[in-house]
Amino acid sequence: MKKWIVIVLLSLGAGYWLGRQSIPELVEAFSSVTPREAYVQRLAASGLTATALGRLWARAGDAALRDAPPVTPPFREAGYLDPARPQAVAYRFRARAGQRVAVRVRVEPPSNALLFIDLFRVPEDPAREPVHVVSADSGEASIDHEPRRDADYIIRIQPELLRGGRYTLTAETAPTLAFPVAGMGVAQIQSFWGAPRDGGARQHHGVDIFAPRGTPVVAAADGFVSSIRSTAIGGNVVWLRDERAGQSLYYAHLDRQLVERGDRVQRGDTIGLVGNSGNARGTPPHLHFGIYARGVGPMDPLPFVEPPPGRPRDPSVPLAAIGGWRRTAVGGARLRAAPGAAAPVVSELEDDAPLHVLAATDGWYRVRTPDGQVGFVGGDLTEPLAPLRTAALADTVSLRDRPDEAGVEIARLAPGEAVEVLGSAGDHLYVRARGRLAWVARGAAL
């Protein structure tokens, strides 16, 4: 008896909660434990989350999510994840309801190591944490997702502890529906979502696609004809139910309807002909196309039918530099927050500044500076880390792992010992000495 009471109470509580949520929020609200979360649970059970390595791994995932640079699909990046250093990478991009987001990750060399790929939605309130949306299945290296709302999203990839390698990540968006007028495209849309109607009394809840009278109007998705009507406003109208996506497609101002209520249609089937019936009489023939989803209402059809701007491009900078070092080749080089000349400037880079190359995208390198800043620099503003000069040490000096007197001492070099100077940062020189790359105080080298 008590069991049934608990079930009823839970059902009532859930019903109240469900009634306060929108359909898109419900879709993203329920999720099982992600592969990464399951892995963390296994680490915790073995005591590894309490170790320094375990904590570094967790922090790397959090930092990648927090600091994800903005990119614009189609996007492709080739990079390197160092197995000896816990790392994660993430990217932030805009996606709209009606698009399909496809993320693919290729790791080289192929292995059976775990790779965690997670997609998050960024809330409008910047004080809130990103909301997990979907993960790649265990053993898979891809995500396909159709956003239920316009929002910023973050994709994060992270290998399991002590695993890594070279990777290529590709992110693309594509429309989820076919274009509803045969032989036409976005160029034929002459009235868009939100345009004023009736002197500003209402807004346009669709797009108008202009085409010659009699041009075939086609099913933008598989579905069934839920209604055939003739109205004063829409004229000859067809309603098509897209069951897969849970939405209704509205076709108005048709010259003729060529289907009946209840007909099953497939994507691309002709359902009517372009006209100017209803309140469009007197205007050039066109199709008014609208989309309506339960719990959401009318939606902007453009992202549902607009093709992507192009295909992702392979990096055009030398990939051999990934995982290694380059340096600034010209004065005035800038570290930017995203791969683009218009992206915000993170900092001005010094001349001959060594840069640890993390990844490459298009004509840009994603780099880490000696002081730990991560950002993008144009590949043509960098050069290989060849020796600038050879210098002899004036005094006994410490060879350190970073340009800081608090850095770990790797070795102690004797006066007169020769070093190759490869770059500089502040009051330190980046050198090759005794077969190692490290830092020495600038005044130590003659």
Side-chain angles (χ1 to χ4, degrees):
M1 182 65 179
K2 290 182 179 179
K3 178 179 178 182
W4 284 106
I5 292 174
V6 171
I7 292 174
V8 170
L9 289 174
L10 288 174
S11 299
L12 289 173
Y16 171 76
W17 183 80
L18 292 174
R20 296 172 62 87
Q21 312 301 309
S22 70
I23 296 299
E25 287 171 336
L26 293 178
V27 170
E28 295 180 354
F30 295 102
S31 63
S32 58
V33 174
T34 69
R36 186 178 184 276
E37 289 170 340
Y39 178 71
V40 171
Q41 291 174 358
R42 294 197 297 273
L43 290 180
S46 62
L48 288 174
T49 53
T51 65
L53 189 63
R55 289 193 295 268
L56 285 173
W57 186 86
R59 289 172 189 163
D62 293 341
L65 201 58
R66 181 185 64 246
D67 301 329
V71 298
T72 302
F75 171 78
R76 177 170 291 151
E77 181 176 89
Y80 176 71
L81 293 167
D82 188 349
R85 177 177 182 168
Q87 289 178 280
V89 293
Y91 316 86
R92 179 171 175 157
F93 60 92
R94 189 73 176 173
R96 303 194 63 190
Q99 294 179 325
R100 178 179 294 109
V101 176
V103 178
R104 304 283 182 268
V105 181
R106 185 178 73 249
V107 178
E108 298 173 354
S111 74
N112 58 359
L114 295 177
L115 180 68
F116 306 109
I117 308 174
D118 296 281
L119 184 68
F120 299 83
R121 176 176 53 80
V122 179
E124 293 183 3
D125 181 357
R128 294 178 57 194
E129 295 292 323
V131 177
H132 180 265
V133 176
V134 67
S135 299
D137 292 336
S138 297
E140 295 293 326
S142 63
I143 284 179
D144 287 281
H145 179 68
E146 295 181 18
R148 294 289 181 171
R149 66 181 77 185
D150 297 355
D152 280 359
Y153 288 81
I154 296 176
I155 187 73
R156 180 183 67 189
I157 65 174
Q158 185 173 24
E160 63 178 312
L161 274 172
L162 302 177
R163 296 298 183 99
R166 292 187 176 272
Y167 69 88
T168 301
L169 179 142
T170 302
E172 299 179 83
T173 59
T176 53
L177 298 179
F179 201 79
V181 180
M184 301 296 163
V186 172
Q188 279 70 51
I189 298 178
Q190 297 181 25
S191 181
F192 292 84
W193 169 269
R197 290 290 188 270
D198 297 337
R202 63 184 180 90
Q203 291 184 327
H204 191 213
H205 285 164
V207 295
D208 290 342
I209 305 165
F210 287 76
R213 184 182 303 278
T215 302
V217 171
V218 302
D222 296 347
F224 69 92
V225 178
S226 58
S227 178
I228 297 288
R229 298 179 186 174
S230 291
T231 68
I233 295 177
N236 296 326
V237 166
V238 171
W239 283 91
L240 177 64
R241 182 64 181 169
D242 176 2
E243 295 174 292
R244 185 195 67 82
Q247 59 197 15
S248 293
L249 312 183
Y250 175 62
Y251 300 78
H253 307 318
L254 298 174
D255 188 63
R256 279 195 297 151
Q257 301 127 318
L258 300 180
V259 287
E260 300 291 337
R261 185 175 182 272
D263 283 355
R264 285 273 172 185
V265 296
Q266 293 184 325
R267 183 182 176 113
D269 287 349
T270 299
I271 62 173
L273 303 175
V274 169
N276 62 347
S277 57
N279 67 358
R281 201 168 299 280
T283 68
H286 65 275
L287 170 71
H288 171 91
F289 181 62
I291 301 175
Y292 296 79
R294 182 171 297 177
V296 178
M299 305 174 71
D300 184 358
L302 186 61
F304 289 79
V305 299
E306 185 175 30
R311 298 286 298 167
R313 297 191 296 182
D314 289 329
S316 59
V317 292
L319 300 185
I322 296 173
W325 291 79
R326 289 177 74 84
R327 66 169 171 250
T328 53
V330 296
R334 294 172 172 177
L335 188 71
R336 296 188 179 271
V345 175
V346 175
S347 65
E348 302 285 343
L349 297 173
E350 296 181 39
D351 295 351
D352 299 325
L355 303 170
H356 186 201
V357 179
L358 307 175
T361 178
D362 202 359
W364 297 77
Y365 284 122
R366 183 160 55 85
V367 300
R368 180 182 290 109
T369 64
D371 61 358
Q373 294 184 99
V374 174
F376 295 83
V377 64
D380 59 348
L381 303 180
T382 71
E383 64 185 9
L385 207 63
L388 295 169
R389 60 190 175 91
T390 299
L393 297 178
D395 302 298
T396 300
V397 298
S398 295
L399 197 64
R400 299 188 182 275
D401 68 341
R402 64 176 190 266
D404 187 332
E405 291 306 309
V408 175
E409 184 179 89
I410 298 172
R412 188 173 290 270
L413 305 181
E417 197 164 346
V419 297
E420 291 180 325
V421 178
L422 305 175
S424 61
D427 56 359
H428 281 72
L429 299 176
Y430 193 56
V431 303
R432 180 182 288 113
R434 298 184 183 177
R436 306 185 71 165
L437 298 178
W439 297 88
V440 298
R442 185 185 289 269
L446 295 176

